Amino acid sequence: MKNILDFCHKYQQQWQPLCRLFQIHKKSLFILLGTWGIYFLVLFLRTLEFQPEGLYANHINVWSDWSIHIGMANIFAYKAPQDWFAYHPMYADGKFTYGFLTNFISGMLMRAGFSLYFAFIVPSIIYSIFLLLGMYTLFYLVLKSQKQTLLAISIFFLSSGVGFIKFFRDLYHQYSWGQLLFPDPGLDYSQEVEYQWYTGNFIVGMLLPQRAFLLGMTMAIWVLVGIIHVLQDEAGSERKHKFILLSSSFLAGILPITHMHSFIVLFIITGLLCIISYDRWRQLLFYYAIPTGILALTLYFLFIAGGIENPNFMKWTPGWTTQGGLIAWVIMWLKIWGLMLPMTGLGFFLLCHQSAIVKAFFIGFLMVFAMANLIMFQPTPWDNSKLFLWAYFGFSGLTTMSLAWLWKHGGKYISRIDVIFIIIMLTLTGFLELIRLQRIEKTNHPFMTSQEDINLGISIRGKTNPLARFLTAPIHNHLVMMWGARPVLLGDRGWVYNYGFLAGKKEEDLKSMFLGGVGTQELLKRNRISYVVIGPGEIHDWQANEPYYKTHYPLAFQNKNYRIYDVRLSR
């Protein structure tokens, strides 16, 4: 009995600090989870919708991005482990270099018997809750204010720009209560297409559709929480610090297979933090830096190295997508982010009164922003927005610092009404975008795939060799890639190019094989094609010569939309 009481007393002592922290922050956490937590919960619960006729998405970005995520998850769910990484889901001859961890988790849930809806939606909700808690903890560590922390998080989620000006201009010309309460679904007020900036709000453009980003950002933020807590906790035990650093190193080390952009950001910021903390260098080196490096390099060489074919995959592009020098660059960012950069500039000026740890933390985000303006990290310029998102996150903290200072010290030059007006200017566009994102009953749900095509994909998955190659139209949501979990010669060409593959010759072969005729059998053999799919996309976009395949090869699968011919005899 005494042993039990001693154990309970020890257990209670260990949890007392956490209980005290919860008591201090419970009101703020209640506000955070009661606003943004509920927002993400409702959003993700309605992200996918299975109807008798097929699968719908709640947003065009989900329709485009989650197709490949579903295809990847099906690979992990229904294939043997030795076949998981045999090919890239969008390119049969490519290495599987995509950050796969989030889809691996969903695939394992499906393998355990959970539905696809559960395997995708429940982890997304969990990630978003941990993201909120991580953001709160991190911002509180550097801002030391619960109110400022909540404001910084809201400024980030309500990004960005001055698109609300376009909204009020349209409202002036065609006023209605409906337009006021629900902005036109056909317009994205945060877009700046001339700069290849396709959405200003990061929930709409990144955290909802890009599943790897949501998990990667969550993990990276908790790593930063761990590092900064250790550096600030001078009175803490060495054993506790070692445990936190090793845990952080594990999360950081697996980021290359989760989300590479977040790993790059983390490398820069934690690197600066380690450099300025020279008095703790042994602890940081042996319990964070070295374990992170060993794990990250192992995963990099195992899953990523050698997978990029394009020698110009990364480019030196000063100014990102703008042309015309410094003035044009400033105008671009004023259009895209509005007052964010001016307020961030004031925040950097205020850093002179902060600790070296806080200075290094925010300078790291400035370095990320500068780097993304100088180097194109993937062939598609829009993908640099993943780094700009991270920069915006850090700048949200600096902007909040500036707003707090103006609120307290603005005096006769800037009143508190002016500060409120600045906050509105920073967040109104994002507010409009997030209202529209939730009003899915007012939008046309993009149709991802029909139930008949899902059934055909499942039939393919059950009756063909796991590595049998299919010739399909290069579209992002083809049933063979999504539901059949089989390699396709060439998927969506934009994505294939952005992944670093040089598929020009494959595209020429694809076109020739669909046209049929002399040399087709040789091309089928050379490209190791087992099945040729003839459907709406193949006929409309690639003029597929179905009579040729109908004459020369047996029909293996079909539904009302597709006929799939077995061409293995040509091999």
Side-chain angles (χ1 to χ4, degrees), residues 15 31 70 94 98 146 171 187 227 229 352 367 390 403 412-413 421 428 438 440 482 498 509 511 515 525:
W15 283 96
I31 294 171
I70 290 173
Y98 194 93
Q146 295 182 38
L171 193 65
L187 298 174
I227 298 296
H229 172 72
C352 60
M367 292 179 63
W390 268 107
L403 291 168
K412 63 181 181 179
Y413 299 105
F421 181 71
L428 185 53
Q438 285 284 13
I440 63 173
M482 282 184 69
N498 200 40
D509 288 352
K511 183 175 182 179
L515 291 176
K525 182 178 180 180

Side-chain angles (χ1 to χ4, degrees), residues 296-333:
L297 286 173
T298 300
L299 295 175
Y300 175 81
F301 285 111
L302 186 61
F303 293 104
I304 299 169
I308 296 174
E309 301 172 352
N310 187 353
N312 298 314
F313 184 75
M314 295 172 61
K315 294 181 181 178
W316 177 257
T317 53
W320 190 45
T321 59
T322 191
Q323 303 292 330
L326 179 61
I327 300 300
W329 180 84
V330 171
I331 291 172
M332 176 184 73
W333 284 112

Side-chain angles (χ1 to χ4, degrees), residues 18-304:
L18 288 177
C19 292
R20 285 196 296 269
L21 280 175
F22 177 76
Q23 288 296 322
I24 294 170
H25 294 276
K26 65 179 180 181
K27 183 178 178 181
S28 295
L29 291 174
F30 179 80
I31 294 171
L32 179 67
L33 297 178
T35 54
W36 290 114
I38 291 176
Y39 185 91
F40 279 111
L41 175 67
V42 174
L43 178 65
F44 279 115
L45 285 175
R46 302 190 294 173
T47 300
L48 295 177
E49 185 176 353
F50 282 93
Q51 295 287 350
E53 64 271 23
L55 176 61
Y56 291 85
N58 75 337
H59 193 272
I60 189 67
N61 292 345
V62 176
W63 171 81
S64 63
D65 281 37
W66 280 36
S67 299
I68 189 171
H69 291 297
I70 290 173
M72 288 183 187
N74 280 326
I75 288 175
F76 294 118
Y78 298 109
K79 284 192 168 184
Q82 64 266 25
D83 296 326
W84 285 347
F85 302 101
Y87 60 92
H88 193 284
M90 280 283 176
Y91 187 58
D93 282 323
K95 186 176 181 179
F96 193 165
T97 56
Y98 194 93
F100 61 83
L101 183 59
T102 185
N103 294 315
F104 173 80
I105 293 170
S106 294
M108 291 302 98
L109 289 172
M110 292 162 64
R111 209 174 182 99
F114 291 98
S115 68
L116 184 145
Y117 178 86
F118 180 95
F120 271 63
I121 302 307
V122 172
S124 296
I125 293 171
I126 294 172
Y127 303 154
S128 64
I129 297 302
F130 274 95
L131 177 65
L132 290 173
L133 295 174
M135 285 180 170
Y136 180 88
T137 308
L138 182 60
F139 273 138
Y140 184 78
L141 286 173
V142 295
L143 298 176
K144 304 300 183 183
S145 165
Q146 295 182 38
K147 292 179 181 178
Q148 290 184 38
T149 293
L150 292 175
L151 179 59
I153 292 171
S154 295
I155 287 174
F156 173 71
F157 284 135
L158 291 170
S159 57
S160 64
V162 293
F164 63 87
I165 296 174
K166 305 174 191 175
F167 169 74
F168 284 120
R169 181 191 60 203
D170 292 346
L171 193 65
Y172 174 79
H173 291 299
Q174 191 175 0
Y175 175 80
S176 71
W177 279 107
Q179 176 69 1
L180 182 62
L181 297 175
F182 177 69
D184 189 335
L187 298 174
D188 187 333
Y189 291 107
S190 62
Q191 278 191 358
E192 294 293 340
V193 179
E194 63 179 304
Y195 303 116
Q196 300 188 52
W197 187 267
Y198 297 119
T199 181
N201 184 268
F202 292 122
I203 294 178
V204 177
M206 295 288 169
L207 297 179
L208 171 64
Q210 301 199 21
R211 303 186 74 237
F213 201 117
L214 177 60
L215 178 57
M217 187 174 197
T218 302
M219 292 166 54
I221 281 178
W222 277 106
V223 172
L224 289 171
V225 167
I227 298 296
I228 292 178
H229 172 72
V230 167
L231 295 179
Q232 292 180 341
D233 184 28
E234 296 180 358
S237 69
E238 186 174 354
R239 182 179 179 183
K240 171 188 168 185
H241 289 172
K242 289 177 181 178
F243 174 77
I244 293 174
L245 290 174
L246 286 173
S247 300
S248 299
S249 72
F250 174 76
L251 290 178
I254 62 174
L255 271 175
I257 62 168
T258 308
H259 190 246
M260 183 56 76
H261 291 81
S262 294
F263 179 76
I264 293 170
V265 171
L266 193 63
F267 178 83
I268 292 171
I269 298 174
T270 59
L272 277 177
L273 290 170
C274 291
I275 289 171
I276 62 102
S277 304
Y278 51 86
D279 56 326
R280 309 280 289 275
W281 72 269
R282 288 182 182 274
Q283 198 177 54
L284 291 168
L285 179 65
F286 291 107
Y287 295 98
Y288 174 74
I290 291 178
T292 297
I294 292 173
L295 182 55
L297 286 173
T298 300
L299 295 175
Y300 175 81
F301 285 111
L302 186 61
F303 293 104
I304 299 169

